[in-house]
Amino acid sequence: MEPMFTPALHRQRHQFVIDFVLDLGCCECVLLKQLKFHREIELLVGVDIDGVQVKKKMHGLAPLSTDYLQPSYDQLRIELYQGSVTEKDARLRGFDLVTSIELIEHLTLADVELFSEVVFGYLTPEAVIVSTPNSDFNPFLPGLVGFRHRDHKFEWTRAEFKSWAMKVCLQYGYEVELTGVGQAPPGQQERVGFCSQIGVFHRLGGKERYNMFDEDAEDVFSYTLLYSIIYPSLHDNNIFRRVLVCEVVYWAEKLKRRWIAEETGERDDTDDLCQESHVDTEETQTACGAEMKTLVDQEEEGRELRVSVPLAVLWCCCPKVSVLSGSVSHLRLLLMDEPGVKLSQDGSAVLLNHQEQDLDDDDEEEHRADLEDSGYTEAPVPPQR
């Protein structure tokens, strides 16, 4: 069946959900793996009755190394449960979206009634997406005899699916839009519909209706938690400070190299940094106007040269630093007690040591490559607090 469709039918079903997040019948966690990259999602929960299969696939949902190097602003939590969609569990109430992709046809008709009661009557999410095979389309599937899968208990026609959907809407207070994925052959779409039919349900009454149900809801916990992970995010103070310090030191080093390039008559690729600035405050314009002409100050202490990068210039040139700190004054407060950053006596600039051997071309190129490959400097990570 899959070669008939481009993209493959299962990919079209998943993309339909993404374009629109508790996933009932998560099994191999394929949909959850795609949804985790959507940073606007705060909580993903998957439920499946086959705990063994879930355990085999659940570690594929763990954070990647890039999630630690570049944590998001919003925090994502993923949980996987073993349980039946015909049983209630209070931990699954209050979701914005519940998906059931090619699941209900594996239930008996009696269990479909329980599924409807649990999902629409107890969980009461704001939206529900249900997909199931369209038996009207089956004659176009080569070699198919009977149902599409040996475990299917039924396969509904479009009329049967619509009848069930309208009954759910009337009973539990939803409205539904019927659609699908998997186009029929040319000239047959209107007659047979989509290969996989989909109902998109929206709860009438919004949050107010949920609160009305919430007062009488049962606090039952029938599912078994198999997996839970919290992704790194800037909500974690330790992660926030580590990222801020790394960004500050990295960009201060880049600005220092710009000064070195100007002193030696070479061109550095950081020359246009501040031209890309997205901020337009009076304070920043002063810094990027008058101070940018000298960019960094220098003073000699004995045989050591110290380069001073003004925080105002740093804040102007690095969008991420400005977003994280909010203002130059707040940036100063955040950096005052950080051992990974050395500030000037008045706290207005980052101080970087610079010795003559720093000008060695090979060392400079190697250092530049290390910085750009990692996205951060090798500055010490601040201790846990």
Side-chain angles (χ1 to χ4, degrees):
M1 178 170 61
E2 295 295 346
M4 292 180 59
F5 303 100
T6 305
L9 193 60
H10 72 279
R11 294 186 183 276
Q12 293 188 47
R13 287 192 291 259
H14 291 166
Q15 189 62 45
F16 183 93
V17 173
I18 292 170
D19 288 343
F20 234 85
V21 154
L22 169 60
D23 183 24
L24 301 178
C26 64
C27 193
E28 296 188 359
C29 307
V30 175
L31 177 57
L32 295 177
K33 289 178 184 177
Q34 297 178 53
L35 289 171
K36 75 173 187 174
F37 292 105
H38 291 255
R39 295 301 192 180
E40 66 275 13
I41 297 176
E42 298 178 357
L43 175 60
L44 282 174
V45 172
V47 178
D48 200 277
I49 198 169
D50 188 348
V52 174
Q53 188 67 17
V54 171
K55 289 179 179 179
K56 288 181 180 178
K57 302 294 183 177
M58 63 186 186
H59 296 294
L61 295 170
L64 304 174
S65 58
T66 53
D67 293 314
Y68 290 95
L69 290 173
Q70 297 182 344
S72 66
Y73 293 98
D74 299 314
Q75 191 170 69
L76 169 65
R77 186 167 87 252
I78 298 179
E79 296 176 351
L80 298 178
Y81 292 89
Q82 179 181 4
S84 170
V85 294
T86 63
E87 298 177 349
K88 300 174 181 178
D89 192 296
R91 291 169 290 187
L92 273 59
R93 304 195 76 241
F95 277 80
D96 295 316
L97 172 66
V98 169
T99 66
S100 172
I101 308 302
E102 307 296 286
L103 167 68
I104 60 173
E105 64 273 9
H106 294 270
L107 306 176
T108 64
L109 291 177
D111 282 342
V112 171
E113 293 300 314
L114 293 175
F115 166 87
S116 302
E117 179 185 347
V118 169
V119 173
F120 297 96
Y122 178 75
L123 300 182
T124 63
E126 289 193 44
V128 181
I129 297 177
V130 177
S131 81
T132 190
N134 169 21
S135 64
D136 291 336
F137 197 97
N138 285 358
F140 292 99
L141 302 178
L144 178 64
V145 177
F147 294 154
R148 300 183 191 180
H149 191 280
R150 63 179 179 274
D151 187 55
H152 286 185
K153 306 302 188 295
F154 62 88
E155 289 180 1
W156 279 335
T157 63
R158 288 179 296 165
E160 290 170 327
F161 183 55
K162 181 179 180 179
S163 175
W164 170 79
M166 297 306 298
K167 178 182 176 182
V168 164
C169 290
L170 290 173
Q171 189 170 357
Y172 299 107
Y174 280 78
E175 60 183 356
V176 66
E177 175 190 355
L178 299 177
T179 181
V181 293
Q183 292 277 348
Q188 301 295 326
Q189 183 65 34
E190 186 175 347
R191 185 174 70 86
V192 301
F194 294 97
C195 182
S196 188
Q197 53 191 342
I198 297 175
V200 182
F201 299 81
H202 293 280
R203 189 179 66 223
L204 301 174
K207 292 287 185 182
E208 294 180 1
R209 187 172 185 278
Y210 168 73
N211 291 335
M212 178 180 68
F213 276 87
D214 188 54
E215 296 177 359
D216 301 323
E218 304 173 54
D219 286 333
V220 293
F221 305 95
S222 57
Y223 297 166
T224 301
L225 179 64
L226 299 179
Y227 182 75
S228 179
I229 187 72
I230 297 178
Y231 272 55
S233 81
L234 297 175
H235 284 276
D236 184 309
N237 187 57
N238 289 325
I239 293 177
F240 171 82
R241 288 185 172 273
R242 173 180 62 81
V243 170
L244 178 64
V245 168
C246 286
E247 288 289 331
V248 166
V249 176
Y250 173 63
W251 284 95
E253 289 284 350
K254 287 181 75 73
L255 291 169
K256 182 184 79 170
R257 291 201 303 275
R258 170 179 173 167
W259 170 78
I260 293 173
E262 290 178 350
E263 289 292 298
T264 58
E266 299 176 358
R267 174 173 174 80
D268 188 82
D269 59 5
T270 61
D271 283 349
D272 298 327
L273 283 175
C274 292
Q275 295 179 14
E276 301 173 359
S277 175
H278 66 294
V279 288
D280 192 28
T281 64
E282 182 178 349
E283 178 184 17
T284 299
Q285 288 302 315
T286 300
C288 290
E291 291 192 67
M292 190 56 65
K293 294 179 181 179
T294 54
L295 189 62
V296 286
D297 300 322
Q298 56 169 315
E299 55 181 283
E300 292 197 28
E301 292 186 352
R303 303 176 65 179
E304 185 180 76
L305 183 68
R306 189 168 63 179
V307 178
S308 173
V309 182
L311 292 184
V313 174
L314 187 63
W315 192 85
C316 164
C317 294
C318 178
K320 191 166 185 178
V321 169
S322 63
V323 169
L324 290 172
S325 60
S327 67
V328 176
S329 58
H330 191 220
L331 176 61
R332 182 183 300 115
L333 290 175
L334 290 170
L335 296 178
M336 289 183 75
D337 297 324
E338 289 295 338
V341 177
K342 185 177 181 180
L343 295 180
S344 59
Q345 189 170 0
D346 63 359
S348 65
V350 175
L351 301 180
L352 299 172
N353 291 331
H354 172 63
Q355 297 177 338
E356 288 300 321
Q357 60 264 33
D358 290 341
L359 289 174
D360 181 85
D361 289 340
D362 292 337
D363 291 343
E364 174 65 16
E365 289 301 321
E366 182 178 354
H367 183 57
R368 184 195 303 268
D370 290 341
L371 290 173
E372 294 180 351
D373 285 346
S374 65
Y376 300 100
T377 67
E378 301 88 353
V381 177
Q384 300 267 325
R385 299 188 177 186

